[in-house]
Amino acid sequence: GAVVSQHPSRVICKSGTSVKIECRSLDFQATTMFWYRQFPKQSLMLMATSNEGSKATYEQGVEKDKFLINHASLTLSTLTVTSAHPEDSSFYICSAIAGGPTGETQYFGPGTRLLVL
Amino acid sequence: QKEVEQDPGPLSVPEGAIVSLNCTYSNSAFQYFMWYRQYSRKGPELLMYTYSSGNKEDGRFTAQVDKSSKYISLFIRDSQPSDSATYLCAMSSQGGGNKLTFGTGTQLKVEL
């Protein structure tokens, strides 16, 4: 159980275009999902917390108008990178919260590799 | 100073060796400690979850937390080539379902 999927797994786009990344909890409902970004050889950095039916909460330094998050249902959150630039090239990973024997735990998706040319 | 420090490695060990991975942290509010394994180009997979100080064992994996020293460890016994991955420590003050602060990850290679 507790499987999280992401689509697409990899995307290449031209500078100035927008890219949408989907995060789905496949076998459970997730009121809260998180979006992370990971640069090569660096740790995961939390970008925003996505709550179903309400506005996302962004971490300091993350532009909410550039990284649009929509959590329209209990199994789907989307991250749209608007007007992407080469510096946005990164590995984007989502996670969803599921309960378990040790309490709530984050289960991560497989990630989406974005390359902006 | 980063909130969580982790040696990035790479750490190379022979098959069958005992592996010790460590993280130190500075935020005394952290109460929940996790270890994730991340294969190349994949999302992190939860390995161990502990609360407060103490030890926890699961198969070949043992997690230790020493809050007095702000130091956590993950031990892997009888290491296998399939254990080759990056191991990330993560911490939270409010539980695993809340904001996590990650270490940079230690790259481990288990050689035949």
Side-chain angles (χ1 to χ4, degrees), chain A residues 10 32 34 36 38 41-46 49 59 91 93 97 102-111 113, chain B residues 8 34 36 38 40-46 49 56 88-89 95-105 107:
Chain A
R10 186 176 181 180
T32 301
F34 297 94
Y36 294 83
Q38 186 178 34
K41 298 191 182 299
Q42 293 188 26
S43 185
L44 279 76
M45 296 299 295
L46 180 65
T49 302
E59 294 298 300
F91 193 48
I93 307 175
I97 298 174
T102 54
E104 289 189 327
T105 304
Q106 289 185 43
Y107 291 88
F108 286 82
R113 189 162 300 278
Chain B
M34 287 136 276
Y36 285 85
Q38 185 177 23
S40 180
R41 301 176 184 270
K42 300 292 184 183
E45 170 193 10
L46 181 66
Y49 182 115
K56 184 175 182 179
L88 299 156
C89 63
N98 295 278
K99 178 179 177 179
L100 298 180
T101 301
F102 282 86
T104 53
Q107 185 181 355

Side-chain angles (χ1 to χ4, degrees), chain B residues 35-106:
Chain B
W35 285 95
Y36 285 85
R37 177 174 61 194
Q38 185 177 23
Y39 291 110
S40 180
R41 301 176 184 270
K42 300 292 184 183
E45 170 193 10
L46 181 66
L47 282 178
M48 299 290 283
Y49 182 115
T50 55
Y51 169 69
S52 195
S53 287
N55 294 355
K56 184 175 182 179
E57 186 174 324
D58 184 0
R60 296 185 296 113
F61 299 92
T62 299
Q64 288 186 351
V65 175
D66 182 350
K67 289 190 64 183
S68 63
S69 301
K70 295 189 178 67
Y71 187 90
I72 69 170
S73 300
L74 177 70
F75 297 96
I76 306 174
R77 291 183 298 280
D78 188 24
S79 56
Q80 304 294 311
S82 58
D83 294 327
S84 298
T86 296
Y87 290 80
L88 299 156
C89 63
M91 309 177 187
S92 171
S93 60
Q94 297 178 310
N98 295 278
K99 178 179 177 179
L100 298 180
T101 301
F102 282 86
T104 53
T106 299

Side-chain angles (χ1 to χ4, degrees), chain B residues 12-16 79-82 84 109-112:
Chain B
S12 184
V13 301
E15 183 179 8
S79 56
Q80 304 294 311
S82 58
S84 298
K109 185 174 182 181
V110 180
E111 298 178 327
L112 290 169

Side-chain angles (χ1 to χ4, degrees), chain A residues 83-103:
Chain A
S83 186
H85 288 94
E87 59 265 30
D88 298 322
S89 299
S90 187
F91 193 48
Y92 292 86
I93 307 175
C94 70
S95 71
I97 298 174
T102 54

